[in-house]
Amino acid sequence: MKQKMHCWLKNNFYIRKNSSNALINTIFIMRIFFLLLFLSIQGYGQFHKMDSLGNFYVIDYGLVWQKYYALEDKAELDKMLKSNDFTSDLEILRFTTSTMTKTYKLNATNLPEYAQHAYEAFLFIDFIGNRFRVTIKQIVFPDFVEEIYYNGRRQNTARGSLEKYILRQDGLIKRNNTNMHVLNSFDTAFSEIFDYMGGLSYE
């Protein structure tokens, strides 16, 4: 009898011990999981959306113009896109939702030299529920040649990008009057193209 009782106590001890260890391991794993989830969310917020000004955002160290609109009629939107020279290469009903734009000039005064030259950009439209989002990025000035002097010798750098002049090395926007004016001029130009095509705009 004593021997059976001893075996029962021993087995019960091991079961409780194993259950306790399993519970501790589960709690430990859950803590690690939530810690990694928290860090990934923090990293996502810091890395993907680093700065903004108007409808311009710094995403992954790149300067992006982005705006959301209410989608009222996709077929009608397709017609409006085709009728505008800036967006005429898009055919959203045939899934052509991205293109490199033709070259255009900003219609604004008191611009720095680089921004007085024609620019081109990558244009992308995607659809999210009953909204569509316009994204414009990789804005460059292909015919602008900047003269840089290094050790007394001139070096020409062609095809300057807007990011080069607007962003700091840490990815944040250089907030001086010249840059603010350039970004506001682009913001106005892009909004004038798309505002009449969509319904109510969203942040």
Side-chain angles (χ1 to χ4, degrees):
M1 184 69 178
K2 290 183 179 180
Q3 187 176 0
K4 288 183 179 180
M5 180 65 70
H6 175 74
C7 291
W8 181 85
L9 290 173
K10 186 176 181 181
N11 291 335
N12 193 41
F13 172 77
Y14 281 124
I15 290 171
R16 288 187 178 182
K17 184 177 180 182
N18 290 335
S19 298
S20 177
N21 289 339
L23 180 62
I24 292 172
N25 289 336
T26 302
I27 293 172
F28 178 75
I29 291 171
M30 288 180 67
R31 285 180 177 177
I32 293 294
F33 172 77
F34 284 114
L35 177 62
L36 292 174
L37 181 63
F38 174 77
L39 291 175
S40 65
I41 292 173
Q42 290 292 103
Y44 182 89
Q46 293 175 5
F47 185 71
H48 286 264
K49 285 199 173 181
M50 303 164 62
D51 202 356
S52 65
L53 180 66
N55 292 301
F56 274 98
Y57 301 89
V58 180
I59 302 174
D60 293 358
Y61 291 88
L63 191 63
V64 176
W65 185 88
Q66 202 166 75
K67 201 168 183 178
Y68 291 80
Y69 296 93
L71 178 62
E72 297 175 347
D73 187 322
K74 197 170 184 178
E76 185 62 26
L77 175 61
D78 183 61
K79 291 179 182 178
M80 289 189 285
L81 290 169
K82 289 178 180 177
S83 66
N84 189 294
D85 191 56
F86 190 80
T87 59
S88 59
D89 290 337
L90 296 174
E91 292 192 41
I92 59 174
L93 297 181
R94 296 185 179 181
F95 306 104
T96 303
T97 57
S98 62
T99 185
M100 285 298 298
T101 69
K102 302 168 186 175
T103 53
Y104 293 87
K105 279 192 174 183
L106 274 178
N107 184 19
T109 58
N110 300 320
L111 293 170
E113 185 182 357
Y114 73 88
Q116 297 174 29
H117 288 255
Y119 70 90
E120 61 185 16
F122 180 78
L123 167 65
F124 178 71
I125 293 180
D126 60 333
F127 299 91
I128 306 169
N130 60 349
R131 301 186 298 169
F132 69 95
R133 176 176 60 185
V134 181
T135 301
I136 301 175
K137 60 183 181 179
Q138 298 170 14
I139 301 171
V140 296
F141 307 90
D143 66 339
F144 176 61
V145 177
E146 184 178 22
E147 295 183 353
I148 300 175
Y149 288 86
Y150 182 75
N151 290 337
R153 302 179 64 180
R154 189 179 71 181
Q155 297 178 341
N156 293 337
T157 302
R159 201 175 176 79
S161 68
L162 183 61
E163 296 169 356
K164 173 183 176 182
Y165 301 100
I166 298 296
L167 299 184
R168 304 182 336 198
Q169 287 186 345
D170 60 2
L172 301 181
I173 296 171
K174 301 175 187 175
R175 295 176 181 269
N176 55 50
N177 291 335
T178 299
N179 289 347
M180 302 273 279
H181 178 53
V182 170
L183 291 182
N184 286 332
S185 298
F186 271 110
D187 198 354
T188 299
F190 295 152
S191 293
E192 286 177 350
I193 294 172
F194 294 100
D195 281 3
Y196 87 96
M197 296 184 186
L200 183 67
S201 63
Y202 296 86
E203 290 295 331

